Amino acid sequence: MLPKRRIVVRLRYEGVIAYDYPAQIQSTIYRSFRLTSLGRKIHQARYSLFSYTLSPEKGVYLPEGLKSQNGKWVLRFSSALEEALDLFIVSIREKFMIGESCCEVLGVYEEPLVDKDIFFAAPIVVFRKNEETNVYMEWFDPQFPVGVEDGLSKRYEYLTGEKMPEAKFCFLKEPNKKLFLYKGRKLLGYSGEIVLTGPAIVKQFAQCVGLGRWPSAGMGMVV
């Protein structure tokens, strides 16, 4: 059975967090996960089946990184594995490291997953494969929704061993184009309101694992 919740961590940090924070958060998560057999299994799996996103309250974009004008941030973490949610909660201490940024933990909460058609998605990355390299796909490309749906279906089959019920994805309106860093590599993704139609189990699964490439690296979380 899939989880019906995600974890929300409220943080305080007055400084600037560098734009490579997705990789830094991933490193923090994996460092704590590797201390357990479940964590090591997740780290070595083909699909990690978790997603996360960091959002500043009253955020401003600066040349050197992202800053919250009131010093408050929200980190959301979700997973298709109940045990991974519990493991994440246990790993949270008084401080949460994002690279060299030491954030104070203000509180840890649970947030219910919902059955609806319109969500917000963190930057979704989709590649078009050719003979030489991977090429970023633009959001208006007819194959973009196909790539998103196919990626979600593969994760569903990996977890359950069953074919995923049909679901359809599209952006509600023109999304925000995001260019960001991941381990020194520039990635192009699209964030904004999305429409995801299909059975409730599929929408629940999407909220657990995210959409597009590399949700376990901070891309494509569905909220």
Side-chain angles (χ1 to χ4, degrees):
M1 182 179 295
L2 293 173
K4 297 180 180 180
R5 57 178 178 140
R6 69 172 64 91
I7 308 304
V8 179
V9 183
R10 297 198 175 275
L11 304 169
R12 185 191 304 279
Y13 183 70
E14 300 291 345
V16 176
I17 292 181
Y19 286 121
D20 66 346
Y21 65 84
Q24 302 296 344
I25 293 174
Q26 184 189 54
S27 294
T28 297
I29 292 172
Y30 277 140
R31 274 198 303 272
S32 59
F33 274 22
R34 287 190 188 121
L35 300 175
T36 68
S37 58
L38 172 64
R40 289 190 293 272
K41 182 179 179 181
I42 292 172
H43 185 249
Q44 295 166 2
R46 180 181 179 186
Y47 297 115
S48 298
L49 300 176
F50 69 78
S51 63
Y52 59 88
T53 187
L54 178 70
S55 305
E57 292 185 7
K58 300 181 179 180
V60 290
Y61 292 88
L62 303 173
E64 64 273 26
L66 190 58
K67 182 177 174 62
S68 168
Q69 294 185 74
N70 64 3
K72 295 181 180 180
W73 306 72
V74 178
L75 172 65
R76 286 181 167 87
F77 176 89
S78 64
S79 173
L81 305 173
E82 278 284 0
E83 300 93 331
L85 296 176
D86 293 335
L87 184 59
F88 181 74
I89 291 174
V90 170
S91 72
I92 300 298
R93 300 290 187 263
E94 295 180 354
K95 305 292 181 181
F96 188 89
M97 297 301 300
I98 303 177
E100 296 181 358
S101 302
C102 182
C103 305
E104 177 189 358
V105 174
L106 300 178
V108 181
Y109 311 91
E110 293 185 0
E111 196 171 69
L113 306 185
V114 294
D115 181 9
K116 59 181 183 179
D117 293 337
I118 299 176
F119 298 90
F120 177 85
I124 300 172
V125 178
V126 177
F127 287 125
R128 179 192 301 281
K129 292 186 177 180
N130 59 29
E131 295 180 356
E132 297 180 358
T133 186
N134 290 325
V135 179
Y136 293 110
M137 199 179 296
E138 299 281 358
W139 73 274
F140 49 78
D141 190 307
Q143 291 302 306
F144 191 98
V146 176
V148 172
E149 295 158 11
D150 184 57
L152 187 64
S153 178
K154 287 179 178 177
R155 286 178 171 83
Y156 186 92
E157 187 170 348
Y158 174 80
L159 176 65
T160 67
E162 300 176 359
K163 183 177 176 62
M164 189 182 80
E166 184 178 4
K168 292 296 182 182
F169 162 89
C170 68
F171 284 105
L172 183 63
K173 56 185 178 182
E174 183 174 348
N176 297 312
K177 188 174 184 178
K178 299 279 189 177
L179 187 65
F180 51 98
L181 290 174
Y182 177 71
K183 295 184 177 179
R185 181 179 182 182
K186 291 183 179 179
L187 299 179
L188 176 64
Y190 296 92
S191 67
E193 289 186 296
I194 65 168
V195 179
L196 186 62
T197 57
I201 188 68
V202 175
K203 291 181 279 189
Q204 185 180 355
F205 184 67
Q207 291 174 79
C208 289
V209 303
L211 299 174
R213 294 288 295 271
W214 303 322
S216 62
M219 294 89 180
M221 187 175 194
V222 177
V223 179

